[in-house]
């Protein structure tokens, strides 16, 4: 079983819509979770960290964590074309990345 | 926020030569640094993990004698691609982590072209 499972997409949403990115993980002991965004041709950047069950909001981004279900999600409200990128979910001290979810926001 | 500086951002070298890439954590001590390689439209591939003062741990299939990693201090790690060949042309990215529950902080990457 892979450590992290994400729908590789592409996920296409119209501009202004909510984009929902989902991630399941296998390590029940994971205590921290991170979302990274990678634009094409660039290196990844950290956009959200979440450590506790529930929601964490930062601007248009909301991370949701459910440790019992081993599930973490990222919601992007009012999606913009500039949000088009690949999003990588990484639980805990996970340094091996999968393909992530490619998001395309259509103008 | 934590900053990781990676240099150079791009380099072109001739086949058979060696190239050194530097990765520095500017405002935190990086207990662990990671080196990745990424080919176009592919996932990040972890090459090796290094801890300060100890030998790097290489992922399966990565030649340790070709990709030399030195992590001499808590703020600096270097990757040297020795005897580079065109197939080594890729995007190399370093990242650094503090302790415990810290996220990874990535450098801006180095685009290597071997002619």
């Amino acid at each position: 079983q892979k450590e992290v499972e994400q729908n590789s997409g592409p996920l296409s949403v119209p501009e202004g819509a909510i984009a929902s990115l989902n991630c399941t993980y296998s390590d029940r002991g994971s205590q921290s979770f991170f979302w990274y965004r990678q634009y094409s041709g660039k290196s990844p950047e950290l956009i959200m960290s979440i450590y506790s069950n529930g929601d964490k909001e930062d601007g248009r981004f909301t991370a949701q964590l459910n440790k019992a279900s081993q599930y973490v999600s990222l919601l992007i409200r009012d999606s913009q074309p500039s949000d088009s990128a690949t999003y990588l979910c990484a639980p805990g001290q996970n340094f091996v990345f999968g393909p992530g979810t490619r998001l395309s926001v259509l103008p | 926020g934590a900053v990781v500086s990676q240099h150079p951002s791009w380099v072109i070298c001739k086949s058979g030569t060696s190239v050194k890439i530097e990765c520095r954590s500017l405002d935190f001590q990086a207990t662990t640094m990671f080196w990745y390689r990424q080919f176009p439209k592919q996932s990040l591939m972890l090459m090796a993990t290094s801890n300060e003062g100890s030998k790097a741990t290489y992922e399966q299939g990565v030649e340790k004698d070709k990709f030399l990693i030195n992590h001499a201090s808590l703020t600096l790690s270097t990757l040297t691609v020795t005897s580079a060949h065109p197939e080594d042309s890729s995007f190399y990215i370093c990242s650094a982590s503090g302790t415990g529950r810290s996220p990874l902080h990535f450098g801006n990457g180095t685009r290597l072209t071997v002619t």
Side-chain angles (χ1 to χ4, degrees), chain A residues 36-91:
Chain A
Y36 300 90
R37 175 177 63 198
Q38 185 177 25
Y39 291 113
S40 180
K42 303 292 186 182
S43 67
E45 57 180 329
L46 176 70
I47 55 171
M48 286 290 281
S49 304
I50 186 166
Y51 302 93
S52 305
N53 277 329
D55 295 0
K56 178 182 177 182
E57 187 174 316
D58 184 0
R60 296 186 295 111
F61 298 94
T62 299
Q64 300 175 318
L65 173 59
N66 183 325
K67 290 184 180 180
S69 300
Q70 295 174 248
Y71 174 87
V72 59
S73 66
L74 180 70
L75 300 178
I76 306 175
R77 289 182 300 282
D78 188 23
S79 295
Q80 300 296 309
S82 58
D83 295 325
S84 299
T86 296
Y87 290 80
L88 304 166
C89 161

